[in-house]
Amino acid sequence: MSKGLFIVFEGVDGAGSSTQAQLLQNYFTQINQKSIISPEPSDGPIGKLLREFLGGRNDFNNQDLYDQQMAYLFAADRHYHLYNNFNGVYSLRSKNIHVISTRYYFSSLAYNGKNEKDYDFICLLNQKFPPPDLVIYLDIPVDLALERMCDRPLKEIYETKEKLIKVRERFQEIFANYPHKMLKIDARENPQKIHGEIINYLEKWNLSN
Ligand code: TMP
């Protein structure tokens, strides 16, 4: 392989993306390939602002304006995440480092709007971002995701049952019609089994490329 891969995990909060990202990084280490886990929101300046908003700060007087602001900020953060020359995705890939991202523009489409109009607006904001080499969608029923999250200390703004049910429906629609490389996984399984499925897929597809 001559260039690092850009691999994205998506799913509702509590689907297990962080666990799978870590297991995938361990796997790359075992086969002597470099990788970095690089989530969205990023660790850059806009990512930090986003964490504040996700943590409860709200400078807007209605939910529509809040969601719009989030969509703009996530798109700006995404641009930074891809292109900054310090730890941006492209910079790392050119150094032969795989980038494992928990979340990408699919999350903006699934979380930051309510209807078709919002969806079109978010598509427009994100239209110039390239698809990842592979997106792994971890599909899980919302009740189980919430159960898994119940021991987490801080609740973020989108972590409600009502919201996550809509987010899951949106993800399912997005990935039912997604034209690029995608692996959909039943995330009710245990983490090692899921990891095994991912590695099987990667070994068949990429490492023989
Ligand atoms: P995390 O739980 O993976 O750290 O993500 C933080 C939250 O950010 C999660 O609830 C989903 C939300 N989010 C969006 O609303 N839009 C986006 O574009 C991204 C990347 C995340």
Side-chain angles (χ1 to χ4, degrees):
M1 242 187 319
S2 56
K3 200 168 66 163
L5 293 169
F6 178 29
I7 299 176
V8 169
F9 283 97
E10 285 285 8
V12 299
D13 299 75
S17 313
S18 305
T19 307
Q20 289 306 320
Q22 188 56 62
L23 291 170
L24 184 56
Q25 182 174 44
N26 298 348
Y27 166 78
F28 281 130
T29 306
Q30 274 162 25
I31 61 167
N32 289 321
Q33 294 184 9
K34 286 191 194 143
S35 65
I36 280 185
I37 298 176
S38 179
E40 289 194 12
S42 77
D43 61 2
I46 306 162
K48 293 200 177 94
L49 180 60
L50 274 164
R51 289 276 171 213
E52 261 187 62
F53 280 109
L54 288 167
R57 175 174 163 182
N58 189 345
D59 303 347
F60 302 91
N61 56 17
N62 73 49
Q63 184 63 29
D64 286 348
L65 290 176
Y66 174 87
D67 280 339
Q68 263 173 36
Q69 175 69 12
M70 293 304 266
Y72 279 120
L73 287 175
F74 274 115
D77 184 50
R78 187 155 299 128
H79 187 276
Y80 178 88
H81 182 224
L82 286 174
Y83 302 114
N84 88 76
N85 58 24
F86 156 64
N87 65 357
V89 173
Y90 277 89
S91 160
L92 294 170
R93 290 180 70 198
S94 69
K95 293 176 195 143
N96 237 343
I97 300 172
H98 302 304
V99 182
I100 305 165
S101 180
T102 47
R103 304 195 181 281
Y104 192 42
Y105 58 70
F106 313 95
S107 278
S108 283
L109 294 167
Y111 279 86
N112 304 129
K114 289 190 307 299
N115 51 38
E116 284 311 308
K117 218 169 125 211
D118 297 348
Y119 191 75
D120 290 346
F121 160 71
I122 296 164
C123 280
L124 214 69
L125 279 182
N126 286 275
Q127 69 182 349
K128 286 201 172 169
F129 298 128
D133 294 306
L134 172 67
V135 52
I136 301 169
Y137 169 49
L138 301 173
D139 186 51
I140 189 169
V142 168
D143 281 334
L144 183 54
L146 287 170
E147 215 179 288
R148 287 186 182 172
M149 284 195 291
C150 67
D151 53 354
R152 285 194 202 164
L154 191 97
K155 281 241 180 313
E156 286 184 340
I157 211 81
Y158 289 129
E159 290 176 359
T160 66
K161 182 168 178 175
E162 196 195 6
K163 175 72 186 176
L164 293 183
I165 287 173
K166 293 200 184 111
V167 169
R168 184 186 186 209
E169 282 169 13
R170 219 12 142 182
F171 273 133
Q172 287 175 332
E173 280 165 26
I174 293 168
F175 291 118
N177 298 305
Y178 183 66
H180 305 287
K181 269 210 166 16
M182 193 267 294
L183 175 62
K184 179 180 173 185
I185 289 196
D186 182 345
R188 286 173 301 185
E189 297 290 353
N190 76 61
Q192 284 302 339
K193 180 147 187 272
I194 293 172
H195 176 61
E197 265 183 65
I198 293 170
I199 299 311
N200 274 345
Y201 183 88
L202 277 180
E203 284 178 348
K204 270 196 216 122
W205 159 59
N206 160 61
L207 305 178
S208 60
N209 262 355

